[in-house]
């Protein structure tokens, strides 16, 4: 189930480190052809492809075992066991629940708690901006600004509120925008109409929500472009997503922070509004007229 979560301990790092998958996405253009084949295989079945034996991973990628080991070394690991240890730690972090974190303890009360959370949030916002490649963000802006596209938003138990927030803004700025509930019983009759001109913007953070993942996989099979807003560990939706915008979410709490995701949403709304201003302005004016009449 999509849930709010925590850092690995009760303290806040200035933002969770980039996941290995995220690092690979950022460094992809610098890889050799064989390294790119290994990278694509790992990302398409992340992190499980990397937990196979060297021979199995090499066979999947169609390269030699020594090429796999050179790829692992290129990523900064001392060897394949070190690489797999990192992947297992990431997988454990993905699956942690709020109860898996130490109890609140005797941390400061009142203003000091507020200040600590504010510091953590500011760190997350900065880390989120540093993590997202400008070209990736601009590509998403271009998609959401294309009037030929039908934009759908979806999310999980907690992130669904962010998806609805985004949908409410974009509905004012442009046409053909809606929200799809994550439960299969509510999206099966909607997804049959989704195709190549559709964009599905999904919100999913650890612990990832199976029904939202299934919706995205179904939409991708039908040709839709999937955009994923997630955490540094990357929802399994990343396997089918054309664009991934990760936010840093760790906080000095048993719950994850959504501030980084909200930052991305509001930045997208602002950028798309500017790009569509000639058509967005009349829509916004029409909404204001109706509001005044009401």
């Amino acid at each position: 189930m999509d849930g709010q979560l925590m850092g690995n301990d009760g303290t806040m790092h200035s933002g969770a480190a980039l996941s290995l998958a995220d690092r690979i996405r950022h460094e992809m253009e610098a890889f050799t052809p064989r390294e790119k084949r290994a990278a694509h295989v790992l990302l398409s079945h992340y992190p499980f492809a990397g937990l196979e034996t060297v021979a199995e991973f090499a066979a999947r990628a169609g390269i030699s075992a020594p090429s796999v080991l050179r790829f692992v070394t290129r990523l900064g690991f001392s060897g394949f066991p070190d690489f797999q240890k990192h992947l297992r730690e990431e997988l454990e972090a993905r699956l942690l629940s709020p109860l898996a974190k130490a109890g609140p303890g005797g941390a400061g009360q009142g203003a000091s708690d507020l200040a600590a959370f504010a510091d953590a949030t500011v760190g997350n916002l900065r880390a989120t901006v540093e993590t997202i490649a400008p070209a990736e963000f601009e590509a998403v802006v271009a998609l959401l600004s294309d009037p030929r596209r039908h934009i759908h938003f979806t999310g999980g138990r907690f992130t669904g509120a962010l998806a609805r927030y985004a949908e409410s803004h974009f509905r004012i700025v442009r046409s053909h925008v809606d929200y799809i509930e994550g439960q299969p019983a509510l999206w099966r009759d909607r997804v049959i109409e989704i195709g190549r001109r559709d964009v599905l913007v999904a919100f999913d953070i650890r612990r990832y929500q199976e029904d939202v993942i299934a919706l995205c996989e179904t939409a991708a099979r039908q040709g839709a472009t999937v955009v994923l807003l997630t955490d540094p560990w990357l929802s399994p939706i990343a396997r089918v997503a054309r664009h991934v915008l990760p936010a840093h979410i760790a906080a000095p709490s048993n719950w994850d922070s959504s501030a980084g995701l909200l930052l991305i949403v509001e930045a997208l709304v602002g950028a798309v509004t500017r790009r569509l201003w000639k058509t967005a302005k009349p829509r916004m004016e029409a909404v204001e007229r109706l509001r005044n009449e009401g």
Side-chain angles (χ1 to χ4, degrees), residues 70-100:
R70 284 193 291 272
F71 171 66
V72 166
T73 302
R74 169 68 175 267
L75 295 175
F77 297 100
S78 59
F80 206 70
D82 185 36
F83 166 71
Q84 291 191 319
K85 176 175 180 289
H86 179 90
L87 291 179
R88 283 192 294 270
E89 288 172 351
E90 277 198 17
L91 185 59
E92 289 172 3
R94 276 184 171 198
L95 301 176
L96 285 173
S97 73
L99 289 175

Side-chain angles (χ1 to χ4, degrees), residues 80-266:
F80 206 70
D82 185 36
F83 166 71
Q84 291 191 319
K85 176 175 180 289
H86 179 90
L87 291 179
R88 283 192 294 270
E89 288 172 351
E90 277 198 17
L91 185 59
E92 289 172 3
R94 276 184 171 198
L95 301 176
L96 285 173
S97 73
L99 289 175
K101 189 177 177 183
Q109 301 296 317
S112 57
D113 279 349
L114 178 60
F117 210 97
D119 287 344
T121 300
V122 170
N124 279 342
L125 296 180
R126 288 175 177 157
T128 296
V129 173
E130 291 168 359
T131 297
I132 296 174
E136 187 80 342
F137 182 83
E138 290 303 319
V140 175
V141 171
L143 268 178
L144 300 182
S145 302
D146 186 345
R148 298 167 298 177
R149 301 278 191 164
H150 193 135
I151 312 298
H152 313 271
F153 291 91
T154 192
R157 181 182 177 189
F158 291 99
T159 55
L162 292 167
R164 284 194 176 278
Y165 178 78
E167 184 257 352
S168 295
H169 278 81
F170 279 100
R171 183 180 289 277
I172 297 173
V173 172
R174 53 159 295 162
S175 59
H176 306 305
V177 174
D178 64 28
Y179 178 85
I180 301 178
E181 294 283 357
Q183 294 88 343
L186 300 175
W187 59 250
R188 286 194 183 102
D189 59 343
R190 301 278 304 281
V191 79
I192 57 174
E193 298 177 350
I194 289 179
R196 295 188 178 278
R197 289 197 174 184
D198 292 86
V199 177
L200 178 59
V201 182
F203 294 70
D204 192 35
I205 61 175
R206 61 181 185 180
R207 295 169 289 166
Y208 310 109
Q209 193 156 318
E210 292 297 329
D211 45 14
V212 177
I213 296 168
L215 167 58
C216 292
E217 290 175 341
T218 302
R221 282 197 301 272
Q222 294 182 193
T225 300
V226 177
V227 175
L228 172 65
L229 276 69
T230 186
D231 54 38
W233 300 277
L234 303 186
S235 160
I237 295 169
R239 294 194 299 261
V240 298
R242 179 81 55 83
H243 302 288
V244 179
L245 301 177
H248 288 250
I249 62 174
S253 163
N254 286 79
W255 307 96
D256 276 337
S257 169
S258 294
L261 293 168
L262 184 59
L263 167 67
I264 297 172
V265 168
E266 295 192 331

